[in-house]
PDB file of all heavy atoms in Angstrom:
ATOM      1  N   VAL P 441      64.864 149.118  11.699  1.00 95.00           N
ATOM      2  CA  VAL P 441      65.458 147.669  11.737  1.00 95.00           C
ATOM      3  C   VAL P 441      64.474 146.789  11.036  1.00 95.00           C
ATOM      4  O   VAL P 441      64.976 145.827  10.269  1.00 95.00           O
ATOM      5  CB  VAL P 441      65.537 147.241  13.292  1.00 95.00           C
ATOM      6  CG1 VAL P 441      65.784 145.803  13.253  1.00 95.00           C
ATOM      7  CG2 VAL P 441      66.607 148.074  14.037  1.00 95.00           C
ATOM      8  N   GLN P 442      63.212 146.966  11.283  1.00 95.00           N
ATOM      9  CA  GLN P 442      62.277 146.030  10.518  1.00 95.00           C
ATOM     10  C   GLN P 442      62.299 146.345   9.001  1.00 95.00           C
ATOM     11  O   GLN P 442      62.339 145.457   8.166  1.00 95.00           O
ATOM     12  CB  GLN P 442      60.791 146.448  11.017  1.00 95.00           C
ATOM     13  CG  GLN P 442      59.797 145.544  10.203  1.00 95.00           C
ATOM     14  CD  GLN P 442      58.417 145.722  10.755  1.00 95.00           C
ATOM     15  OE1 GLN P 442      58.146 146.501  11.646  1.00 95.00           O
ATOM     16  NE2 GLN P 442      57.486 145.068  10.153  1.00 95.00           N
ATOM     17  N   HIS P 443      62.318 147.684   8.602  1.00 96.00           N
ATOM     18  CA  HIS P 443      62.484 147.940   7.236  1.00 96.00           C
ATOM     19  C   HIS P 443      63.663 147.245   6.554  1.00 96.00           C
ATOM     20  O   HIS P 443      63.534 146.721   5.483  1.00 96.00           O
ATOM     21  CB  HIS P 443      62.709 149.500   7.063  1.00 96.00           C
ATOM     22  CG  HIS P 443      63.350 149.855   5.777  1.00 96.00           C
ATOM     23  ND1 HIS P 443      64.554 149.735   5.362  1.00 96.00           N
ATOM     24  CD2 HIS P 443      62.625 150.181   4.527  1.00 96.00           C
ATOM     25  CE1 HIS P 443      64.767 150.086   4.145  1.00 96.00           C
ATOM     26  NE2 HIS P 443      63.600 150.343   3.632  1.00 96.00           N
ATOM     27  N   ASP P 444      64.778 147.215   7.270  1.00 96.00           N
ATOM     28  CA  ASP P 444      66.028 146.588   6.680  1.00 96.00           C
ATOM     29  C   ASP P 444      65.760 145.103   6.465  1.00 96.00           C
ATOM     30  O   ASP P 444      66.403 144.547   5.474  1.00 96.00           O
ATOM     31  CB  ASP P 444      67.270 146.900   7.541  1.00 96.00           C
ATOM     32  CG  ASP P 444      67.663 148.320   7.377  1.00 96.00           C
ATOM     33  OD1 ASP P 444      67.127 149.102   6.686  1.00 96.00           O
ATOM     34  OD2 ASP P 444      68.656 148.726   8.091  1.00 96.00           O
ATOM     35  N   ARG P 445      65.011 144.450   7.284  1.00 95.00           N
ATOM     36  CA  ARG P 445      64.793 143.062   7.089  1.00 95.00           C
ATOM     37  C   ARG P 445      63.796 142.820   5.900  1.00 95.00           C
ATOM     38  O   ARG P 445      63.873 141.906   5.148  1.00 95.00           O
ATOM     39  CB  ARG P 445      64.166 142.361   8.393  1.00 95.00           C
ATOM     40  CG  ARG P 445      65.211 141.793   9.318  1.00 95.00           C
ATOM     41  CD  ARG P 445      66.030 142.857   9.988  1.00 95.00           C
ATOM     42  NE  ARG P 445      67.160 142.404  10.617  1.00 95.00           N
ATOM     43  CZ  ARG P 445      68.171 143.193  11.062  1.00 95.00           C
ATOM     44  NH1 ARG P 445      68.167 144.511  10.852  1.00 95.00           N
ATOM     45  NH2 ARG P 445      69.267 142.718  11.585  1.00 95.00           N
ATOM     46  N   VAL P 446      62.837 143.726   5.829  1.00 93.00           N
ATOM     47  CA  VAL P 446      61.763 143.614   4.720  1.00 93.00           C
ATOM     48  C   VAL P 446      62.543 143.699   3.467  1.00 93.00           C
ATOM     49  O   VAL P 446      62.338 142.915   2.573  1.00 93.00           O
ATOM     50  CB  VAL P 446      60.695 144.629   4.981  1.00 93.00           C
ATOM     51  CG1 VAL P 446      59.852 144.770   3.676  1.00 93.00           C
ATOM     52  CG2 VAL P 446      59.760 144.379   6.103  1.00 93.00           C
ATOM     53  N   VAL P 447      63.310 144.760   3.319  1.00 93.00           N
ATOM     54  CA  VAL P 447      63.917 144.946   1.955  1.00 93.00           C
ATOM     55  C   VAL P 447      65.067 143.884   1.799  1.00 93.00           C
ATOM     56  O   VAL P 447      65.272 143.561   0.651  1.00 93.00           O
ATOM     57  CB  VAL P 447      64.468 146.407   1.705  1.00 93.00           C
ATOM     58  CG1 VAL P 447      63.301 147.325   1.815  1.00 93.00           C
ATOM     59  CG2 VAL P 447      65.591 146.732   2.731  1.00 93.00           C
ATOM     60  N   ALA P 448      65.675 143.380   2.836  1.00 95.00           N
ATOM     61  CA  ALA P 448      66.671 142.380   2.637  1.00 95.00           C
ATOM     62  C   ALA P 448      65.893 141.171   2.069  1.00 95.00           C
ATOM     63  O   ALA P 448      66.448 140.557   1.172  1.00 95.00           O
ATOM     64  CB  ALA P 448      67.349 142.070   3.933  1.00 95.00           C
ATOM     65  N   ALA P 449      64.686 140.963   2.583  1.00 94.00           N
ATOM     66  CA  ALA P 449      64.110 139.727   2.097  1.00 94.00           C
ATOM     67  C   ALA P 449      63.450 139.916   0.618  1.00 94.00           C
ATOM     68  O   ALA P 449      63.782 138.909  -0.159  1.00 94.00           O
ATOM     69  CB  ALA P 449      62.816 139.399   3.041  1.00 94.00           C
ATOM     70  N   ILE P 450      62.837 140.907   0.345  1.00 91.00           N
ATOM     71  CA  ILE P 450      62.216 141.051  -0.881  1.00 91.00           C
ATOM     72  C   ILE P 450      63.061 141.689  -2.036  1.00 91.00           C
ATOM     73  O   ILE P 450      62.672 141.616  -3.181  1.00 91.00           O
ATOM     74  CB  ILE P 450      60.882 141.927  -0.877  1.00 91.00           C
ATOM     75  CG1 ILE P 450      61.185 143.332  -0.325  1.00 91.00           C
ATOM     76  CG2 ILE P 450      59.907 141.200  -0.013  1.00 91.00           C
ATOM     77  CD1 ILE P 450      60.347 144.291  -1.006  1.00 91.00           C
ATOM     78  N   SER P 451      64.204 142.316  -1.595  1.00 91.00           N
ATOM     79  CA  SER P 451      65.032 142.827  -2.512  1.00 91.00           C
ATOM     80  C   SER P 451      66.495 142.480  -2.567  1.00 91.00           C
ATOM     81  O   SER P 451      67.092 141.905  -3.565  1.00 91.00           O
ATOM     82  CB  SER P 451      64.964 144.409  -2.555  1.00 91.00           C
ATOM     83  OG  SER P 451      65.948 145.004  -3.306  1.00 91.00           O
ATOM     84  N   HIS P 452      67.052 142.539  -1.452  1.00 94.00           N
ATOM     85  CA  HIS P 452      68.561 142.299  -1.276  1.00 94.00           C
ATOM     86  C   HIS P 452      68.876 140.798  -1.403  1.00 94.00           C
ATOM     87  O   HIS P 452      69.688 140.353  -2.118  1.00 94.00           O
ATOM     88  CB  HIS P 452      69.112 142.848   0.068  1.00 94.00           C
ATOM     89  CG  HIS P 452      68.758 144.359   0.223  1.00 94.00           C
ATOM     90  ND1 HIS P 452      69.104 145.016   1.361  1.00 94.00           N
ATOM     91  CD2 HIS P 452      68.244 145.222  -0.636  1.00 94.00           C
ATOM     92  CE1 HIS P 452      68.784 146.261   1.237  1.00 94.00           C
ATOM     93  NE2 HIS P 452      68.185 146.465   0.008  1.00 94.00           N
ATOM     94  N   LEU P 453      67.997 139.958  -0.733  1.00 96.00           N
ATOM     95  CA  LEU P 453      68.270 138.466  -0.894  1.00 96.00           C
ATOM     96  C   LEU P 453      68.119 137.956  -2.237  1.00 96.00           C
ATOM     97  O   LEU P 453      69.014 137.360  -2.756  1.00 96.00           O
ATOM     98  CB  LEU P 453      67.246 137.755   0.083  1.00 96.00           C
ATOM     99  CG  LEU P 453      67.239 136.247  -0.048  1.00 96.00           C
ATOM    100  CD1 LEU P 453      68.684 135.592   0.234  1.00 96.00           C
ATOM    101  CD2 LEU P 453      66.198 135.639   0.854  1.00 96.00           C
TER     102      LEU P 453
END
Side-chain angles (χ1 to χ4, degrees):
Chain P
V441 172
Q442 178 180 0
H443 165 277
D444 287 358
R445 269 70 192 168
V446 170
V447 299
I450 59 144
S451 170
H452 305 173
L453 173 62

